[in-house]
Amino acid sequence: MSVRHAILALLSEGPKYGLQLQKEFESSTGEVWPLNIGQVYTTLQRLERDGLVESDEAENEGTQKGFHITDAGSTELSSWLNTPPDMTSPPRDELVIKVLSALRVPGVSVHDVIQVHRRYLIELMQQWTRLKEDEADFDLTFALVVDAELFRLDSVVRWLDTADGRLKRAASEPSVASTGPRLGRRLVVRR
Amino acid sequence: MSFLELRRVSKSYGAGAAEVHAIQDVELSVECGALVAVMGPSGSGKSTLLTIAGSLEEPTSGEVVIDGESLQTMTRNDKSRLRRRTIGYVFQDFNLLAGLTAVENVALPLELDGHSAKKAHAAGMGALEELGLADRATHYPDQLSGGERQRISIARAVVGERRLLLADEPSGALDSTNGEAVMRMILGACKQGVAAVVVTHDAQLASWADRVVFLRDGRVVDQTVPPPSPEALLEESSRSGPRQ
């Protein structure tokens, strides 16, 4: 979650004060990510320095300062919304590394290692699901955040299930059991 | 109190070199009001476990106890009565009768159990109303969406005094929104005291359960521990916070 761009998105609705931005940010993320007011003002200062927002001079001392988005800020926001994050190469995933390492360690069952992680992920998913159990208790943004987390964890469980099955097949068909790297198949991994 | 117990239950098919062990020494206990999910890959024995728990198949060894009574000591008629009155089944492909309306499908188990058509119809309507499906009562299965058909089949599974609900991949053919609706209905039944076992390979469905049991090669290899309160999760999420 980029606080910088989330604040630009909130200011695209109209001028706002720092405290208002803090409250609206928290509500727009389903209150899953609280944001302290210091972070809001630091981010606003940086956005102002970069010409993406402008502050209105407070009429009286002690009055809150309002902020509005500039044309450059609107352009930056639009560009960010429409630019997919870099997903061209696989991330250096600790879980993948643990499973690959387990294949090399004598006396370790990779299936048992996979099960430890599968159970942990499903216990996490149970907690997230509890959060949406009472439909009357959550709003739309909160539901979207919870769904995103559940789908992320689910995708990892699916990978573990697939790895489990692939390794089992490989063990019963030794011809496909090679674990060594193949020429021309090296992937570029994000650090 | 456990409503369903499987004690060292095994099931084999074939004999000699061709013998296949579908499940082995399975121990499972499901309390009234609990929702237990059984997860495992295809061929791990999930469906066999469910059919044995539901008295649709006999174990090769071990014992199944439902509501304190061992199935081993029951006559064939006792088991039939148990299946009609106490156990509700939900299947992946719904198994609704095409020539009957939604309410007729839901009322059918009660009619087969000797209730008058009028009483069975009233109970069927009651189940549909409770599940928010009253406006679909007179629709035939082919006039309903997949999600609606599955919800009707859950109404059929819980109608009357059913206390054990057994579901085999209940949302296998449904999208995630309808899958969630199906799990909410099963959870709602559990809150009324029904004990439920859902067999699935879908982690999102399983995460609705109080407990998830993992099957591998016919054996229970692991199970989840009761999750801490979700609030702990939000606190953890807050600590990691948003990035700048």
Side-chain angles (χ1 to χ4, degrees), chain A residues 1 3 32 34 39 43 111-112 115 119 122-123 126 128-133 135 151 154 168, chain B residues 39 180 184 187 191 203-204 207-210 214 216-217 222-225 230 233 237-238 243-244:
Chain A
M1 183 75 210
V3 175
V32 172
Q39 249 181 310
T43 308
H111 298 290
D112 289 347
Q115 177 55 30
R119 188 188 66 214
I122 288 180
E123 284 171 350
Q126 284 178 293
W128 282 106
T129 301
R130 290 286 169 283
L131 288 171
K132 63 175 186 177
E133 198 173 296
E135 278 182 295
F151 274 92
D154 186 31
K168 205 173 162 187
Chain B
M39 284 192 83
E180 182 173 319
R184 280 186 189 284
L187 198 65
K191 287 186 174 160
Q204 292 211 41
S207 70
W208 286 90
D210 301 302
F214 298 92
R216 193 202 298 165
D217 299 329
D222 203 1
Q223 61 178 306
T224 57
V225 293
L233 194 68
S237 180
S238 304
R243 63 181 173 75
Q244 286 291 319

